Amino acid sequence: MTKPLSFSGKWFFYMKIGVVHLEILAITDDRHSVKELASIILKINKRIDYVHIRDKSKSVRELVFLLELLEEGGVEKRKIVLHDRLDLALIMGIPNIHLPGHGLPVKPVRERFPFMRIGCSVHSFKEACEAERDGANYVLYGHIYETNCKQGKTPKGLKELQEIKMKLDLPVYAIGGITPDKLAEIKKANTEGIAVMSGIFSAKNPEEAVLQYFQMCKEKTNEQLL
């Protein structure tokens, strides 16, 4: 709702934006043992919206053990996203699957398993359009800022991210080099959330790191002059 204000004879309108929450998707970095990883996830569970299991080097048995530890620790299955392992998601009753660019295409997975929440990684507006058309529930777009994971590659920045949000309906999560001090800028793109890997799982104190993201992601915005 807008209301008129007068300053020095000039009229402006202001609108209360209210509370803008960014969801936090924590992506594992494949650098911890199963028990270490489970311990970290259990400590940060209450302050993240999803945990994306992306430990490519672990065997299926190790991943099953990890999922069992998380379930025993009280992590709800709805918060767990499995990376590229549709087979494991179906066997273990995990409702969220993330399909990387080199993985299974979205369309046949959507047609065969309409009940699943399917995400995919995109690096352009065109790829985001294709993901929405094929039935993805969300996309990860990036990398937004410089990051050690993408050394030598030019960051995407926010311009195309904003275009995706303006023209498409599917939820978009920003990924790549996102630190707490950049979240105010990320919020201006109206994205649904952020995906963070090294900022959480490579931190000396992951629990403290998540708290910093949590405080910034859930804070109130200011009133905005129009």
Side-chain angles (χ1 to χ4, degrees), residues 122-132 139 141 156 159-168 170:
V122 301
H123 306 91
S124 68
F125 176 73
K126 179 182 178 182
E127 290 180 2
C129 289
E130 292 172 353
E132 183 176 60
V139 295
Y141 173 82
K156 297 288 184 179
K159 184 177 180 180
E160 194 171 42
L161 173 62
Q162 292 171 323
E163 182 182 9
I164 293 171
K165 282 303 304 170
M166 286 177 61
K167 297 182 179 179
L168 302 183
L170 82 172

Side-chain angles (χ1 to χ4, degrees), residues 9 17 41 85:
I17 303 301
I41 294 172
R85 295 307 305 253

Side-chain angles (χ1 to χ4, degrees), residues 1-16 223-226:
M1 180 178 180
T2 58
K3 296 181 180 180
L5 290 175
S6 177
F7 297 100
S8 301
K10 294 183 179 180
W11 286 91
F12 297 85
F13 287 83
Y14 79 89
M15 179 173 62
K16 276 193 174 182
E223 293 181 348
Q224 188 175 57
L225 285 176
L226 303 176

Side-chain angles (χ1 to χ4, degrees), residues 19-226:
V19 181
V20 177
H21 286 176
L22 291 176
E23 291 188 333
I24 302 172
L25 196 164
I27 303 180
T28 63
D29 63 358
D30 205 7
R31 295 184 178 182
H32 304 276
S33 69
V34 170
K35 289 187 177 180
E36 288 173 346
L37 182 56
S39 176
I40 293 172
I41 294 172
L42 293 178
K43 289 177 181 177
I44 67 175
N45 177 44
K46 292 184 179 180
R47 289 197 169 99
I48 61 174
D49 297 281
Y50 296 97
V51 58
H52 181 140
I53 308 298
R54 190 181 178 272
D55 278 33
K56 300 178 182 180
S57 70
K58 289 183 173 52
S59 68
V60 172
R61 287 182 179 270
E62 287 177 312
L63 292 173
V64 168
F65 183 38
L66 173 62
L67 293 173
E68 290 173 344
L69 290 176
L70 296 182
E71 184 174 8
E72 290 173 5
V75 178
E76 298 177 71
K77 289 184 177 181
R78 66 173 182 82
K79 295 183 70 170
I80 298 174
V81 180
L82 287 182
H83 186 90
D84 202 27
R85 295 307 305 253
L86 178 61
D87 55 345
L88 191 56
L90 293 171
I91 292 296
M92 298 299 291
I94 303 300
N96 310 301
I97 181 74
H98 187 84
L99 303 176
H102 62 270
L104 292 167
V106 172
K107 189 174 182 179
V109 177
R110 168 58 64 217
E111 291 174 348
R112 182 66 181 83
F113 306 104
F115 54 87
M116 296 205 74
R117 181 175 180 266
I118 302 170
C120 65
S121 301
V122 301
H123 306 91
S124 68
F125 176 73
K126 179 182 178 182
E127 290 180 2
C129 289
E130 292 172 353
E132 183 176 60
R133 179 198 65 201
D134 291 343
N137 294 102
Y138 73 91
V139 295
L140 297 187
Y141 173 82
H143 59 295
I144 303 298
Y145 304 105
E146 289 186 5
T147 171
N148 291 333
C149 297
K150 303 288 184 180
Q151 288 185 347
K153 295 185 178 181
T154 304
K156 297 288 184 179
L158 294 174
K159 184 177 180 180
E160 194 171 42
L161 173 62
Q162 292 171 323
E163 182 182 9
I164 293 171
K165 282 303 304 170
M166 286 177 61
K167 297 182 179 179
L168 302 183
D169 293 325
L170 82 172
V172 182
Y173 293 80
I175 186 172
I178 298 174
T179 52
D181 62 295
K182 294 184 173 70
L183 292 178
E185 186 177 46
I186 290 288
K187 284 184 177 183
K188 294 177 182 178
N190 294 319
T191 183
E192 274 69 27
I194 57 169
V196 182
M197 181 188 291
S198 59
I200 294 174
F201 287 99
S202 297
K204 290 183 179 180
N205 187 331
E207 193 173 6
E208 184 178 307
V210 164
L211 178 58
Q212 292 181 37
Y213 282 102
F214 179 83
Q215 290 173 335
M216 292 296 293
C217 284
K218 310 303 180 181
E219 73 173 358
K220 295 181 180 180
T221 60
N222 296 321
E223 293 181 348
Q224 188 175 57
L225 285 176
L226 303 176

